[in-house]
Amino acid sequence: MKTSLQVLFIALLGILSVEAYSLDSLNIRLLNHAKSAPDSSSRTVEDLTKYLVEATNNEFEIVEVIFYWIAENIEYDIEGYKTGKYATDYQETFTGKRGIHRTYSALFQRMCRLAKLECFVVAGYARGYDVEPRKAFTATNHVWNVVRVEGRYYYVDTVWGIGEIELAGDELEYNKDMPLNQVLTRDKVFLYSHLPADPRWQLQDFVIQMDDFMKLRGFDEPSPSEVYHNFRDSIAHFSSLSKDEKMDLSYKSADRFYRTNDNLKKWGHHLYNRAHKKSIGKVEREDLEASNRLYKKALVVYEKLRESDTTISVWIQRANEGMEYNQYYLRRMKK
C-alpha cells in the first residue's frame, strides 16, 4: 500500500471525526501465509479455508487472510465483464481463478462461513467508472459483503479492495492496487460510493435515501431520514429466515426503498421461480396450493410493470398457465 494513500485516508478520517475501522496497513505475516498456500491445501475451498485459518489469532485476522488469498489468486475477469460470459458461481471462480464482483463476493462469503463467520452478499448501487453524476440508477450494478466480526458488522468489498475498473481511451482495464479501505470498514465514507439496495445493510441508525446518495459530494455529511432504523434487529430477523424467505424479503425491501423496473422484475421472477419449483416433481395438494399463492403474488408484482415493460406480458401469461396447470391437478386429486 502506498504511504501517501495511508496518510491521506487517515487524515480524512480525522477530519470527519469518525472511528477508523478499515485496515490501514498490510499484515505481512498473514499475506505471506496466504501466498504460501501449498497445492495440497488448495484443491478445495474447504481445504484452503482450513489452511488459511491456521495462521490466525482472531476473527479480524480470519477475514484479512481470506481477503489476501483472493487478492493474490483471483483475477478480475475484465473480458467476461465486457462480454457477459463469466463464472456464474463461487466454485467456478475458485477453480478457474477468475471472476467478477458477484463471484468474488460469493467466494468470500463461502470461505467466511466455512471459518464460522456470519457473512452476507449485498447487492446495491455503486459509483463506478461509468456512473454519471446525479444520473438516477435504473438497476443495481455492484455486489459486496457484510461480515460479522466479534459481534459487529463490517463492510468488505473484495473487488474494490483489490483494484478498480478504469476506462483507458476506449478500453476497460482492471488495475490492481490494495488501498485496504474497502476491507473491514464501518466508516460512512464507504457509503459515499456504495448504497445497498436493501437499507438494512447500510449499518446505520438512520436510513440514507437514494436522493441523498445522489447528492453526496466529497465528504459532505449525508442527510438521514427522520425515522430511526434498528439495523441490528433487522439483520437478526433476516438471519432467522429460510433462503427463499431471505430472497423474498430482500427484493421486497429493495423495491420499497427505491422502485425501479429492474427491482420489480427481479422480485416477480423470484416469486415465479419459487412457484414453479413447488409444482414440479412429486407434489402434494399443499405444494400446489402454495405454488398458486406464489403465482398470485408474482402476478401482483408483474401487473405493476405491465404499462412500462413490454416483455412482462410473457411472464404474466406463464404465471397464469402455471396456475391453470395446478388447478387441473388439484381437481384430479379430488377424484
Side-chain angles (χ1 to χ4, degrees):
M1 178 178 180
K2 298 177 181 177
T3 304
S4 59
L5 285 177
Q6 290 179 346
V7 173
L8 174 62
F9 186 65
I10 294 171
L12 287 171
L13 290 184
I15 291 170
L16 287 168
S17 300
V18 296
E19 186 175 357
Y21 293 93
S22 50
L23 302 179
D24 60 2
S25 62
L26 291 171
N27 185 320
I28 301 302
R29 177 180 62 85
L30 292 179
L31 178 61
N32 287 336
H33 182 66
K35 286 182 175 180
S36 302
D39 291 341
S40 59
S41 298
S42 305
R43 290 172 185 156
T44 68
V45 179
E46 291 77 10
D47 289 343
L48 173 64
T49 304
K50 183 179 179 180
Y51 164 82
L52 293 175
V53 170
E54 287 173 355
T56 63
N57 297 309
N58 54 56
E59 292 182 347
F60 285 99
E61 289 193 351
I62 291 173
V63 172
E64 197 171 352
V65 75
I66 290 172
F67 168 76
Y68 289 148
W69 187 90
I70 291 175
E72 291 295 323
N73 292 276
I74 305 298
E75 192 78 21
Y76 191 86
D77 190 358
I78 195 68
E79 288 303 316
Y81 175 81
K82 290 189 289 187
T83 62
K85 298 178 180 179
Y86 42 73
T88 58
D89 57 37
Y90 78 83
Q91 187 61 55
E92 287 184 18
T93 286
F94 175 75
T95 303
K97 301 297 186 286
R98 296 174 69 83
I100 63 168
H101 53 268
R102 294 184 186 89
T103 52
Y104 267 71
S105 299
L107 178 59
F108 179 80
Q109 180 191 50
R110 176 59 178 161
M111 295 175 77
C112 283
R113 287 184 171 178
L114 287 169
K116 310 301 182 185
L117 295 181
E118 188 177 16
C119 185
F120 305 90
V121 172
V122 177
Y125 311 93
R127 297 176 186 276
Y129 76 96
D130 57 345
V131 174
E132 297 179 25
R134 297 184 180 273
K135 184 175 181 180
F137 286 89
T138 58
T140 56
N141 64 346
H142 194 46
V143 178
W144 57 95
N145 296 97
V146 165
V147 61
R148 191 171 188 261
V149 181
E150 298 187 3
R152 302 193 74 180
Y153 295 99
Y154 295 86
Y155 309 113
V156 176
D157 188 334
T158 48
V159 173
W160 284 25
I162 294 169
E164 61 181 352
I165 298 175
E166 293 180 341
L167 190 60
D170 295 329
E171 292 295 321
L172 289 180
E173 295 180 353
Y174 186 77
N175 297 316
K176 274 204 167 186
D177 190 9
M178 208 178 289
L180 297 180
N181 58 5
Q182 304 287 323
V183 185
L184 284 170
T185 180
R186 290 173 56 86
D187 182 29
K188 283 184 181 178
V189 173
F190 187 87
L191 293 175
Y192 295 152
S193 56
H194 298 68
L195 187 70
D198 183 341
R200 83 186 72 242
W201 304 117
Q202 291 184 16
L203 311 184
Q204 302 295 314
D205 292 328
F206 295 90
V207 175
I208 297 171
Q209 302 296 337
M210 176 60 80
D211 287 346
D212 296 315
F213 178 69
M214 296 300 297
K215 294 173 185 175
L216 292 176
R217 290 294 178 271
F219 294 93
D220 295 335
E221 184 69 14
S223 301
S225 66
E226 295 179 356
V227 179
Y228 175 76
H229 178 243
N230 191 327
F231 71 88
R232 298 166 192 84
D233 286 352
S234 181
I235 292 175
H237 169 67
F238 183 86
S239 299
S240 71
L241 302 176
S242 69
K243 182 179 178 180
D244 282 336
E245 289 171 335
K246 286 176 181 175
M247 292 179 68
D248 196 21
L249 180 57
S250 293
Y251 290 128
K252 188 185 299 184
S253 297
D255 175 63
R256 187 183 298 122
F257 176 64
Y258 180 60
R259 174 158 293 181
T260 64
N261 282 3
D262 182 70
N263 281 335
L264 276 172
K265 188 178 289 189
K266 286 176 180 175
W267 184 15
H269 287 353
H270 164 68
L271 293 167
Y272 175 91
N273 289 332
R274 283 187 63 192
H276 179 67
K277 287 178 183 178
K278 283 189 172 292
S279 67
I280 58 177
K282 188 176 180 180
V283 296
E284 304 292 338
R285 169 176 293 279
E286 293 78 10
D287 298 311
L288 295 178
E289 290 173 343
S291 174
N292 271 352
R293 288 194 294 271
L294 288 165
Y295 275 131
K296 288 178 181 178
K297 289 182 179 180
L299 284 169
V300 170
V301 176
Y302 286 151
E303 284 295 335
K304 297 176 183 178
L305 289 164
R306 186 188 285 272
E307 294 184 4
S308 58
D309 188 333
T310 57
T311 67
I312 211 65
S313 58
V314 174
W315 291 97
I316 291 174
Q317 180 180 344
R318 289 178 180 177
N320 282 318
E321 288 174 351
M323 292 178 65
E324 290 175 5
Y325 171 90
N326 289 346
Q327 287 302 125
Y328 170 75
Y329 279 98
L330 282 168
R331 287 193 295 270
R332 291 190 62 178
M333 285 180 179
K334 287 182 179 180
K335 298 176 182 179

